[in-house]
Amino acid sequence: MTSHLCRSGLLLPFLLAITACAAAPLSGGSSRSVIVGFTLATPGDAPEALERLKKAGATDARFVSSLSSRSHSYRLTCPPVDPACDKVLDALRGQPGIDYVSIDRGKDSQ
Amino acid sequence: MTMLPRIGLALCALVAAPSFTQAADGLEARVIVKLKASSVLKQIQAAGRVETLGTRMGVKAHMVSQPGRDLHVMRASGLTSEALAARLAGDADVEYAVPDRIKKISALPNDPLYGFQWYLQAPDTTRLAATNAQAAWDMTSGSSKVVVAVVDSGVRFDHEDLAPRLVAGYDFITDDLNANDGQSGRDANASDPGDYVSAADRNNAALTALCGTLSVQGSSWHGTQVAGILAAETNNSRGIAGMGGATRVLPVRVLGKCGGFDSDIIAGMRWAAGLSVPGVPSNPTPARVINLSLAGAGTCSAAYRSAIAEIRAAGTLIVAAAGNESGAVNEPANCPGVLAVAGIRHVGTKVGYSSHGVEVGVSAPAGNCVNVQVGQPCLFPFINPTNQGSTSPTGNTYTGTGDNTVGTSFAAPLVAGTAALMLAANPALTETDVGALIKSSATPFPLDSTLPTCPLISADGQCNCTTTTCGAGMLNTGSAVTAAVAAANPSVSIGVATSRVVGTAFSLDGGGSAATGGAHLVAWKWIQISGPGSGSFSSDSVAAPSFTAPVAGTYVVGLTVTDDSGRQGTGQATFEVQSVAAKSSGGGGGALDPASLMAFLALAALATGRRLKG
């Protein structure tokens, strides 16, 4: 099965397409879908968890789903000066109690 | 005993006994043995090869037939076919050795489309990559206790060739547009409503914001196809045969319109393995194997690494498709601890579209069409259960025998199904064991001189596989299950007393032999395999008999142990018997004494032991 995402990427100009399939989240614009791994069990939708994400610089953070008691996915909205959320993610990774931050990427049937 | 009578006895033995002795226990072995391409034995005639191999194994063997150039059927007396095959398998000149069993006509599935499932059949000169599942099914028909999770697009629970094999799964798709099932968020219904993209979907701003640019396309029924390869009901006079026999499938829905999110896939993987996911009921039927026929570009993320470590610690094997990008292995197949599966053509070379790289563990047929021109049928596709609906489900059916049904998605469930058969044959195997045995039992890749060697590829992406680009070899389901069965058999350890003198009983000790998986040894059978004279055991059916040799020289004895499930293990020990006692032994008898216990144990370690199928 051909990847829907990659197939669409082939239609884009080269510079845009070359990395689209590799790193692009299913979200676009100034928001990012991320998976956050905490070092301790943390309710994903608890206000304090969301507050930590905002402290890293996100203008908004929305809980999406849980993977486990210590890992959850979120939709981050980032400031216009950080359209790829790079600064927010770096700040998040530097916080104590955060084990990892991964981009919530898309997968397709093969 | 004085020296003269001893010498007299020895002389009598030399005259009376043949130089080659064997216990007459009524067993007859019949084994198919193939020589390695590099074997020096190929320089002699076929009958001589068999006799030479027999001598090496400590038995008198003769050839029954030669079904192939390097393939021989041999017979020998005094041991089981399984025992002889196990011994031969360790010989440096032998590529493989398997018992030559009697087959019944009913051994082949009666599923009407089975003839088109070339990838399950025995390999031949045209279809080198066929997995020989047929041979595995003679050893196990699978087990309903083994559950394999298909983490995919869900399944059609009403497909008649699949329904008996399905257990209730779960739908982990969080986003409602992605899910397309009319239900809010995650739910307990893992059925596949269709993953089509319509013209309306393409113009749906919310969906395109989620997925990016969309192309109109029909539903794939991908999870149903994958589940069918894995476990379609076999021998039901309907459709196809499934690799895993009685294996049950746990459908975990994570792919919807435009694919799926890592977060849903990881949550589904964890749940499939029996781990908890907040907000989701616990899984009543945890899977021993997870099949991931999905992929995406990118390196292995920390999120996958963390979950995979947890899942493996829970004892679940993860099998993943390498990807269809022709280049680097995709995520999650490229994650440590995942058994990544690359795709090969029917002839065993890498199929053009398959991703490849050092992360691949094994290769398996993925389907290939061979010089298809417009309007011509695909020649080596998969035949899978599917649905006729182009959007929402309608009637159930199968993919066509000439359809372009190919992809590493379809190679992965062949491996997952093989793992399930192995676990049915030997439930004590760990996920590490299963992965290791699948690799070690794989068939070496063939060489096509017209193709470049991977990672160099031809214009259409083909290349000759190597172990650093396509894994350990071509999936060999028959050999993998054979290895799994052998691993369930008891191990044999033989200790031999350090003082061994002609005419004096000395100790043999098989007490270090052990059953596996909670079984217990119930029988011991000792035989003399070779020696200059015919020795005697105080009893040939106890763990630790004494042995008396009539003549000095080199003796080989064998021990076969049987556990309470009927499984057998065999081993042998080679030792010298002296004509007179060595001074260091104090000149006493050969019975095991405390002073020589340590040396005894050291000798025990030198004895060879093997496991074999009972």
PDB file of all heavy atoms in Angstrom, chain B residues 243-281:
ATOM      1  N   MET B 243      -1.516 -19.082   7.606  1.00  0.00           N
ATOM      2  CA  MET B 243      -0.221 -19.598   8.053  1.00  0.00           C
ATOM      3  C   MET B 243      -0.301 -20.225   9.442  1.00  0.00           C
ATOM      4  O   MET B 243       0.266 -21.277   9.701  1.00  0.00           O
ATOM      5  CB  MET B 243       0.797 -18.446   8.059  1.00  0.00           C
ATOM      6  CG  MET B 243       2.112 -18.755   8.742  1.00  0.00           C
ATOM      7  SD  MET B 243       3.059 -20.054   7.932  1.00  0.00           S
ATOM      8  CE  MET B 243       4.033 -19.078   6.782  1.00  0.00           C
ATOM      9  N   GLY B 244      -1.020 -19.578  10.350  1.00  0.00           N
ATOM     10  CA  GLY B 244      -0.939 -19.954  11.764  1.00  0.00           C
ATOM     11  C   GLY B 244      -1.889 -21.044  12.222  1.00  0.00           C
ATOM     12  O   GLY B 244      -1.981 -21.301  13.420  1.00  0.00           O
ATOM     13  N   GLY B 245      -2.603 -21.701  11.302  1.00  0.00           N
ATOM     14  CA  GLY B 245      -3.502 -22.777  11.722  1.00  0.00           C
ATOM     15  C   GLY B 245      -4.548 -22.282  12.702  1.00  0.00           C
ATOM     16  O   GLY B 245      -5.301 -21.357  12.415  1.00  0.00           O
ATOM     17  N   ALA B 246      -4.574 -22.906  13.875  1.00  0.00           N
ATOM     18  CA  ALA B 246      -5.613 -22.589  14.853  1.00  0.00           C
ATOM     19  C   ALA B 246      -5.344 -21.304  15.635  1.00  0.00           C
ATOM     20  O   ALA B 246      -6.107 -20.956  16.545  1.00  0.00           O
ATOM     21  CB  ALA B 246      -5.769 -23.745  15.834  1.00  0.00           C
ATOM     22  N   THR B 247      -4.289 -20.590  15.302  1.00  0.00           N
ATOM     23  CA  THR B 247      -3.962 -19.326  15.964  1.00  0.00           C
ATOM     24  C   THR B 247      -5.164 -18.383  15.970  1.00  0.00           C
ATOM     25  O   THR B 247      -5.907 -18.296  15.003  1.00  0.00           O
ATOM     26  CB  THR B 247      -2.804 -18.631  15.208  1.00  0.00           C
ATOM     27  OG1 THR B 247      -1.693 -19.509  15.173  1.00  0.00           O
ATOM     28  CG2 THR B 247      -2.423 -17.324  15.858  1.00  0.00           C
ATOM     29  N   ARG B 248      -5.327 -17.664  17.070  1.00  0.00           N
ATOM     30  CA  ARG B 248      -6.398 -16.670  17.118  1.00  0.00           C
ATOM     31  C   ARG B 248      -5.834 -15.267  16.896  1.00  0.00           C
ATOM     32  O   ARG B 248      -4.691 -14.977  17.250  1.00  0.00           O
ATOM     33  CB  ARG B 248      -7.137 -16.744  18.453  1.00  0.00           C
ATOM     34  CG  ARG B 248      -7.988 -17.998  18.566  1.00  0.00           C
ATOM     35  CD  ARG B 248      -8.876 -17.949  19.779  1.00  0.00           C
ATOM     36  NE  ARG B 248      -8.100 -17.895  21.015  1.00  0.00           N
ATOM     37  CZ  ARG B 248      -8.620 -17.615  22.203  1.00  0.00           C
ATOM     38  NH1 ARG B 248      -9.899 -17.339  22.313  1.00  0.00           N
ATOM     39  NH2 ARG B 248      -7.862 -17.607  23.269  1.00  0.00           N
ATOM     40  N   VAL B 249      -6.674 -14.434  16.312  1.00  0.00           N
ATOM     41  CA  VAL B 249      -6.267 -13.059  15.971  1.00  0.00           C
ATOM     42  C   VAL B 249      -6.979 -12.066  16.875  1.00  0.00           C
ATOM     43  O   VAL B 249      -8.205 -12.112  17.032  1.00  0.00           O
ATOM     44  CB  VAL B 249      -6.584 -12.749  14.498  1.00  0.00           C
ATOM     45  CG1 VAL B 249      -6.418 -11.255  14.209  1.00  0.00           C
ATOM     46  CG2 VAL B 249      -5.684 -13.561  13.584  1.00  0.00           C
ATOM     47  N   LEU B 250      -6.188 -11.175  17.446  1.00  0.00           N
ATOM     48  CA  LEU B 250      -6.715 -10.073  18.249  1.00  0.00           C
ATOM     49  C   LEU B 250      -6.647  -8.811  17.391  1.00  0.00           C
ATOM     50  O   LEU B 250      -5.570  -8.257  17.173  1.00  0.00           O
ATOM     51  CB  LEU B 250      -5.860  -9.896  19.508  1.00  0.00           C
ATOM     52  CG  LEU B 250      -6.179  -8.697  20.406  1.00  0.00           C
ATOM     53  CD1 LEU B 250      -7.503  -8.911  21.138  1.00  0.00           C
ATOM     54  CD2 LEU B 250      -5.056  -8.471  21.416  1.00  0.00           C
ATOM     55  N   PRO B 251      -7.783  -8.341  16.863  1.00  0.00           N
ATOM     56  CA  PRO B 251      -7.734  -7.142  16.021  1.00  0.00           C
ATOM     57  C   PRO B 251      -7.645  -5.864  16.868  1.00  0.00           C
ATOM     58  O   PRO B 251      -8.459  -5.666  17.776  1.00  0.00           O
ATOM     59  CB  PRO B 251      -9.044  -7.205  15.234  1.00  0.00           C
ATOM     60  CG  PRO B 251      -9.960  -8.054  16.041  1.00  0.00           C
ATOM     61  CD  PRO B 251      -9.135  -8.911  16.960  1.00  0.00           C
ATOM     62  N   VAL B 252      -6.659  -5.065  16.561  1.00  0.00           N
ATOM     63  CA  VAL B 252      -6.474  -3.790  17.269  1.00  0.00           C
ATOM     64  C   VAL B 252      -6.494  -2.698  16.207  1.00  0.00           C
ATOM     65  O   VAL B 252      -5.600  -2.617  15.363  1.00  0.00           O
ATOM     66  CB  VAL B 252      -5.141  -3.784  18.043  1.00  0.00           C
ATOM     67  CG1 VAL B 252      -4.950  -2.445  18.750  1.00  0.00           C
ATOM     68  CG2 VAL B 252      -5.103  -4.932  19.055  1.00  0.00           C
ATOM     69  N   ARG B 253      -7.523  -1.888  16.234  1.00  0.00           N
ATOM     70  CA  ARG B 253      -7.711  -0.911  15.157  1.00  0.00           C
ATOM     71  C   ARG B 253      -6.961   0.383  15.478  1.00  0.00           C
ATOM     72  O   ARG B 253      -7.220   1.027  16.497  1.00  0.00           O
ATOM     73  CB  ARG B 253      -9.207  -0.628  14.958  1.00  0.00           C
ATOM     74  CG  ARG B 253      -9.471   0.281  13.779  1.00  0.00           C
ATOM     75  CD  ARG B 253     -10.940   0.285  13.357  1.00  0.00           C
ATOM     76  NE  ARG B 253     -11.069   1.112  12.169  1.00  0.00           N
ATOM     77  CZ  ARG B 253     -11.617   2.336  12.162  1.00  0.00           C
ATOM     78  NH1 ARG B 253     -12.162   2.814  13.260  1.00  0.00           N
ATOM     79  NH2 ARG B 253     -11.657   3.046  11.050  1.00  0.00           N
ATOM     80  N   VAL B 254      -6.038   0.740  14.585  1.00  0.00           N
ATOM     81  CA  VAL B 254      -5.259   1.970  14.765  1.00  0.00           C
ATOM     82  C   VAL B 254      -5.157   2.781  13.473  1.00  0.00           C
ATOM     83  O   VAL B 254      -4.705   3.928  13.501  1.00  0.00           O
ATOM     84  CB  VAL B 254      -3.826   1.658  15.265  1.00  0.00           C
ATOM     85  CG1 VAL B 254      -3.856   0.984  16.628  1.00  0.00           C
ATOM     86  CG2 VAL B 254      -3.056   0.822  14.254  1.00  0.00           C
ATOM     87  N   LEU B 255      -5.512   2.184  12.344  1.00  0.00           N
ATOM     88  CA  LEU B 255      -5.407   2.874  11.054  1.00  0.00           C
ATOM     89  C   LEU B 255      -6.799   3.182  10.514  1.00  0.00           C
ATOM     90  O   LEU B 255      -7.654   2.288  10.452  1.00  0.00           O
ATOM     91  CB  LEU B 255      -4.667   2.011  10.026  1.00  0.00           C
ATOM     92  CG  LEU B 255      -3.242   1.578  10.359  1.00  0.00           C
ATOM     93  CD1 LEU B 255      -2.685   0.688   9.241  1.00  0.00           C
ATOM     94  CD2 LEU B 255      -2.342   2.790  10.570  1.00  0.00           C
ATOM     95  N   GLY B 256      -7.013   4.429  10.138  1.00  0.00           N
ATOM     96  CA  GLY B 256      -8.284   4.833   9.548  1.00  0.00           C
ATOM     97  C   GLY B 256      -8.022   5.605   8.275  1.00  0.00           C
ATOM     98  O   GLY B 256      -7.080   5.317   7.523  1.00  0.00           O
ATOM     99  N   LYS B 257      -8.878   6.589   8.014  1.00  0.00           N
ATOM    100  CA  LYS B 257      -8.653   7.440   6.840  1.00  0.00           C
ATOM    101  C   LYS B 257      -7.276   8.106   6.959  1.00  0.00           C
ATOM    102  O   LYS B 257      -6.959   8.669   8.000  1.00  0.00           O
ATOM    103  CB  LYS B 257      -9.724   8.530   6.779  1.00  0.00           C
ATOM    104  CG  LYS B 257     -11.097   8.047   6.329  1.00  0.00           C
ATOM    105  CD  LYS B 257     -12.059   9.213   6.295  1.00  0.00           C
ATOM    106  CE  LYS B 257     -13.490   8.774   6.000  1.00  0.00           C
ATOM    107  NZ  LYS B 257     -13.715   8.478   4.586  1.00  0.00           N
ATOM    108  N   CYS B 258      -6.472   8.004   5.967  1.00  0.00           N
ATOM    109  CA  CYS B 258      -5.128   8.599   5.871  1.00  0.00           C
ATOM    110  C   CYS B 258      -4.148   8.001   6.874  1.00  0.00           C
ATOM    111  O   CYS B 258      -3.141   8.607   7.203  1.00  0.00           O
ATOM    112  CB  CYS B 258      -5.147  10.129   5.951  1.00  0.00           C
ATOM    113  SG  CYS B 258      -5.342  10.825   7.601  1.00  0.00           S
ATOM    114  N   GLY B 259      -4.388   6.801   7.320  1.00  0.00           N
ATOM    115  CA  GLY B 259      -3.399   6.132   8.179  1.00  0.00           C
ATOM    116  C   GLY B 259      -3.692   6.285   9.646  1.00  0.00           C
ATOM    117  O   GLY B 259      -4.852   6.317  10.058  1.00  0.00           O
ATOM    118  N   GLY B 260      -2.637   6.349  10.453  1.00  0.00           N
ATOM    119  CA  GLY B 260      -2.850   6.421  11.890  1.00  0.00           C
ATOM    120  C   GLY B 260      -1.740   7.160  12.596  1.00  0.00           C
ATOM    121  O   GLY B 260      -0.646   7.352  12.045  1.00  0.00           O
ATOM    122  N   PHE B 261      -2.026   7.591  13.812  1.00  0.00           N
ATOM    123  CA  PHE B 261      -1.056   8.304  14.636  1.00  0.00           C
ATOM    124  C   PHE B 261      -0.202   7.320  15.447  1.00  0.00           C
ATOM    125  O   PHE B 261      -0.711   6.299  15.923  1.00  0.00           O
ATOM    126  CB  PHE B 261      -1.769   9.223  15.629  1.00  0.00           C
ATOM    127  CG  PHE B 261      -2.364  10.454  15.020  1.00  0.00           C
ATOM    128  CD1 PHE B 261      -3.690  10.490  14.651  1.00  0.00           C
ATOM    129  CD2 PHE B 261      -1.577  11.582  14.832  1.00  0.00           C
ATOM    130  CE1 PHE B 261      -4.241  11.633  14.101  1.00  0.00           C
ATOM    131  CE2 PHE B 261      -2.123  12.735  14.285  1.00  0.00           C
ATOM    132  CZ  PHE B 261      -3.457  12.755  13.914  1.00  0.00           C
ATOM    133  N   ASP B 262       1.067   7.675  15.651  1.00  0.00           N
ATOM    134  CA  ASP B 262       1.926   6.884  16.531  1.00  0.00           C
ATOM    135  C   ASP B 262       1.281   6.671  17.898  1.00  0.00           C
ATOM    136  O   ASP B 262       1.383   5.592  18.487  1.00  0.00           O
ATOM    137  CB  ASP B 262       3.272   7.593  16.736  1.00  0.00           C
ATOM    138  CG  ASP B 262       4.140   7.563  15.498  1.00  0.00           C
ATOM    139  OD1 ASP B 262       3.979   6.638  14.686  1.00  0.00           O
ATOM    140  OD2 ASP B 262       4.981   8.466  15.347  1.00  0.00           O
ATOM    141  N   SER B 263       0.647   7.722  18.405  1.00  0.00           N
ATOM    142  CA  SER B 263       0.095   7.634  19.760  1.00  0.00           C
ATOM    143  C   SER B 263      -0.966   6.539  19.858  1.00  0.00           C
ATOM    144  O   SER B 263      -1.026   5.803  20.848  1.00  0.00           O
ATOM    145  CB  SER B 263      -0.489   8.984  20.178  1.00  0.00           C
ATOM    146  OG  SER B 263      -1.374   9.473  19.182  1.00  0.00           O
ATOM    147  N   ASP B 264      -1.801   6.403  18.813  1.00  0.00           N
ATOM    148  CA  ASP B 264      -2.814   5.353  18.829  1.00  0.00           C
ATOM    149  C   ASP B 264      -2.175   3.982  18.595  1.00  0.00           C
ATOM    150  O   ASP B 264      -2.593   2.980  19.187  1.00  0.00           O
ATOM    151  CB  ASP B 264      -3.882   5.618  17.754  1.00  0.00           C
ATOM    152  CG  ASP B 264      -4.749   6.826  18.099  1.00  0.00           C
ATOM    153  OD1 ASP B 264      -4.814   7.194  19.299  1.00  0.00           O
ATOM    154  OD2 ASP B 264      -5.358   7.400  17.177  1.00  0.00           O
ATOM    155  N   ILE B 265      -1.183   3.941  17.726  1.00  0.00           N
ATOM    156  CA  ILE B 265      -0.506   2.665  17.427  1.00  0.00           C
ATOM    157  C   ILE B 265       0.197   2.150  18.676  1.00  0.00           C
ATOM    158  O   ILE B 265       0.088   0.958  19.029  1.00  0.00           O
ATOM    159  CB  ILE B 265       0.499   2.857  16.263  1.00  0.00           C
ATOM    160  CG1 ILE B 265      -0.250   3.196  14.975  1.00  0.00           C
ATOM    161  CG2 ILE B 265       1.362   1.599  16.085  1.00  0.00           C
ATOM    162  CD1 ILE B 265       0.637   3.730  13.868  1.00  0.00           C
ATOM    163  N   ILE B 266       0.916   3.021  19.347  1.00  0.00           N
ATOM    164  CA  ILE B 266       1.660   2.596  20.545  1.00  0.00           C
ATOM    165  C   ILE B 266       0.701   2.159  21.653  1.00  0.00           C
ATOM    166  O   ILE B 266       0.922   1.149  22.327  1.00  0.00           O
ATOM    167  CB  ILE B 266       2.596   3.719  21.016  1.00  0.00           C
ATOM    168  CG1 ILE B 266       3.717   3.917  19.991  1.00  0.00           C
ATOM    169  CG2 ILE B 266       3.173   3.428  22.396  1.00  0.00           C
ATOM    170  CD1 ILE B 266       4.567   5.154  20.223  1.00  0.00           C
ATOM    171  N   ALA B 267      -0.364   2.922  21.818  1.00  0.00           N
ATOM    172  CA  ALA B 267      -1.356   2.525  22.831  1.00  0.00           C
ATOM    173  C   ALA B 267      -1.931   1.145  22.491  1.00  0.00           C
ATOM    174  O   ALA B 267      -2.086   0.285  23.369  1.00  0.00           O
ATOM    175  CB  ALA B 267      -2.472   3.565  22.907  1.00  0.00           C
ATOM    176  N   GLY B 268      -2.223   0.926  21.208  1.00  0.00           N
ATOM    177  CA  GLY B 268      -2.764  -0.357  20.777  1.00  0.00           C
ATOM    178  C   GLY B 268      -1.777  -1.497  20.958  1.00  0.00           C
ATOM    179  O   GLY B 268      -2.150  -2.612  21.355  1.00  0.00           O
ATOM    180  N   MET B 269      -0.521  -1.230  20.681  1.00  0.00           N
ATOM    181  CA  MET B 269       0.515  -2.251  20.878  1.00  0.00           C
ATOM    182  C   MET B 269       0.617  -2.644  22.349  1.00  0.00           C
ATOM    183  O   MET B 269       0.717  -3.826  22.687  1.00  0.00           O
ATOM    184  CB  MET B 269       1.873  -1.715  20.396  1.00  0.00           C
ATOM    185  CG  MET B 269       2.008  -1.562  18.885  1.00  0.00           C
ATOM    186  SD  MET B 269       3.510  -0.621  18.425  1.00  0.00           S
ATOM    187  CE  MET B 269       4.798  -1.686  19.062  1.00  0.00           C
ATOM    188  N   ARG B 270       0.633  -1.653  23.206  1.00  0.00           N
ATOM    189  CA  ARG B 270       0.773  -1.923  24.640  1.00  0.00           C
ATOM    190  C   ARG B 270      -0.421  -2.741  25.141  1.00  0.00           C
ATOM    191  O   ARG B 270      -0.269  -3.726  25.852  1.00  0.00           O
ATOM    192  CB  ARG B 270       0.885  -0.610  25.428  1.00  0.00           C
ATOM    193  CG  ARG B 270       2.165   0.183  25.139  1.00  0.00           C
ATOM    194  CD  ARG B 270       2.300   1.395  26.047  1.00  0.00           C
ATOM    195  NE  ARG B 270       2.694   1.013  27.402  1.00  0.00           N
ATOM    196  CZ  ARG B 270       1.888   0.857  28.422  1.00  0.00           C
ATOM    197  NH1 ARG B 270       0.591   1.088  28.286  1.00  0.00           N
ATOM    198  NH2 ARG B 270       2.344   0.507  29.603  1.00  0.00           N
ATOM    199  N   TRP B 271      -1.608  -2.322  24.737  1.00  0.00           N
ATOM    200  CA  TRP B 271      -2.813  -3.039  25.167  1.00  0.00           C
ATOM    201  C   TRP B 271      -2.795  -4.472  24.647  1.00  0.00           C
ATOM    202  O   TRP B 271      -3.146  -5.414  25.359  1.00  0.00           O
ATOM    203  CB  TRP B 271      -4.048  -2.290  24.667  1.00  0.00           C
ATOM    204  CG  TRP B 271      -5.348  -2.892  25.088  1.00  0.00           C
ATOM    205  CD1 TRP B 271      -5.987  -2.709  26.281  1.00  0.00           C
ATOM    206  CD2 TRP B 271      -6.183  -3.771  24.316  1.00  0.00           C
ATOM    207  NE1 TRP B 271      -7.167  -3.419  26.295  1.00  0.00           N
ATOM    208  CE2 TRP B 271      -7.306  -4.080  25.112  1.00  0.00           C
ATOM    209  CE3 TRP B 271      -6.078  -4.317  23.037  1.00  0.00           C
ATOM    210  CZ2 TRP B 271      -8.335  -4.910  24.670  1.00  0.00           C
ATOM    211  CZ3 TRP B 271      -7.102  -5.162  22.595  1.00  0.00           C
ATOM    212  CH2 TRP B 271      -8.210  -5.442  23.399  1.00  0.00           C
ATOM    213  N   ALA B 272      -2.368  -4.642  23.401  1.00  0.00           N
ATOM    214  CA  ALA B 272      -2.327  -5.985  22.801  1.00  0.00           C
ATOM    215  C   ALA B 272      -1.464  -6.925  23.629  1.00  0.00           C
ATOM    216  O   ALA B 272      -1.762  -8.120  23.755  1.00  0.00           O
ATOM    217  CB  ALA B 272      -1.797  -5.899  21.373  1.00  0.00           C
ATOM    218  N   ALA B 273      -0.393  -6.394  24.205  1.00  0.00           N
ATOM    219  CA  ALA B 273       0.534  -7.218  24.989  1.00  0.00           C
ATOM    220  C   ALA B 273       0.047  -7.442  26.416  1.00  0.00           C
ATOM    221  O   ALA B 273       0.719  -8.113  27.196  1.00  0.00           O
ATOM    222  CB  ALA B 273       1.912  -6.565  24.998  1.00  0.00           C
ATOM    223  N   GLY B 274      -1.083  -6.854  26.751  1.00  0.00           N
ATOM    224  CA  GLY B 274      -1.622  -7.043  28.098  1.00  0.00           C
ATOM    225  C   GLY B 274      -1.256  -5.940  29.058  1.00  0.00           C
ATOM    226  O   GLY B 274      -1.541  -6.044  30.257  1.00  0.00           O
ATOM    227  N   LEU B 275      -0.618  -4.883  28.549  1.00  0.00           N
ATOM    228  CA  LEU B 275      -0.268  -3.748  29.413  1.00  0.00           C
ATOM    229  C   LEU B 275      -1.466  -2.809  29.523  1.00  0.00           C
ATOM    230  O   LEU B 275      -2.322  -2.758  28.633  1.00  0.00           O
ATOM    231  CB  LEU B 275       0.942  -3.008  28.833  1.00  0.00           C
ATOM    232  CG  LEU B 275       2.198  -3.866  28.641  1.00  0.00           C
ATOM    233  CD1 LEU B 275       3.268  -3.084  27.877  1.00  0.00           C
ATOM    234  CD2 LEU B 275       2.746  -4.329  29.991  1.00  0.00           C
ATOM    235  N   SER B 276      -1.491  -2.047  30.591  1.00  0.00           N
ATOM    236  CA  SER B 276      -2.650  -1.186  30.824  1.00  0.00           C
ATOM    237  C   SER B 276      -2.556   0.109  30.020  1.00  0.00           C
ATOM    238  O   SER B 276      -1.467   0.644  29.806  1.00  0.00           O
ATOM    239  CB  SER B 276      -2.768  -0.865  32.314  1.00  0.00           C
ATOM    240  OG  SER B 276      -1.673  -0.075  32.729  1.00  0.00           O
ATOM    241  N   VAL B 277      -3.693   0.561  29.572  1.00  0.00           N
ATOM    242  CA  VAL B 277      -3.817   1.858  28.892  1.00  0.00           C
ATOM    243  C   VAL B 277      -4.940   2.612  29.596  1.00  0.00           C
ATOM    244  O   VAL B 277      -6.078   2.107  29.653  1.00  0.00           O
ATOM    245  CB  VAL B 277      -4.144   1.679  27.398  1.00  0.00           C
ATOM    246  CG1 VAL B 277      -4.383   3.034  26.727  1.00  0.00           C
ATOM    247  CG2 VAL B 277      -3.033   0.921  26.682  1.00  0.00           C
ATOM    248  N   PRO B 278      -4.664   3.781  30.142  1.00  0.00           N
ATOM    249  CA  PRO B 278      -5.699   4.521  30.867  1.00  0.00           C
ATOM    250  C   PRO B 278      -6.958   4.726  30.025  1.00  0.00           C
ATOM    251  O   PRO B 278      -6.878   5.081  28.849  1.00  0.00           O
ATOM    252  CB  PRO B 278      -5.016   5.859  31.187  1.00  0.00           C
ATOM    253  CG  PRO B 278      -3.561   5.527  31.239  1.00  0.00           C
ATOM    254  CD  PRO B 278      -3.359   4.482  30.187  1.00  0.00           C
ATOM    255  N   GLY B 279      -8.085   4.469  30.641  1.00  0.00           N
ATOM    256  CA  GLY B 279      -9.356   4.683  29.960  1.00  0.00           C
ATOM    257  C   GLY B 279      -9.817   3.516  29.118  1.00  0.00           C
ATOM    258  O   GLY B 279     -10.890   3.582  28.511  1.00  0.00           O
ATOM    259  N   VAL B 280      -9.016   2.457  29.071  1.00  0.00           N
ATOM    260  CA  VAL B 280      -9.366   1.299  28.243  1.00  0.00           C
ATOM    261  C   VAL B 280      -9.431   0.065  29.143  1.00  0.00           C
ATOM    262  O   VAL B 280      -8.535  -0.145  29.963  1.00  0.00           O
ATOM    263  CB  VAL B 280      -8.307   1.086  27.134  1.00  0.00           C
ATOM    264  CG1 VAL B 280      -8.623  -0.157  26.317  1.00  0.00           C
ATOM    265  CG2 VAL B 280      -8.231   2.314  26.238  1.00  0.00           C
ATOM    266  N   PRO B 281     -10.489  -0.757  28.994  1.00  0.00           N
ATOM    267  CA  PRO B 281     -10.567  -1.973  29.828  1.00  0.00           C
ATOM    268  C   PRO B 281      -9.363  -2.878  29.570  1.00  0.00           C
ATOM    269  O   PRO B 281      -8.779  -2.850  28.484  1.00  0.00           O
ATOM    270  CB  PRO B 281     -11.865  -2.642  29.359  1.00  0.00           C
ATOM    271  CG  PRO B 281     -12.623  -1.599  28.627  1.00  0.00           C
ATOM    272  CD  PRO B 281     -11.627  -0.631  28.081  1.00  0.00           C
TER     273      PRO B 281
END
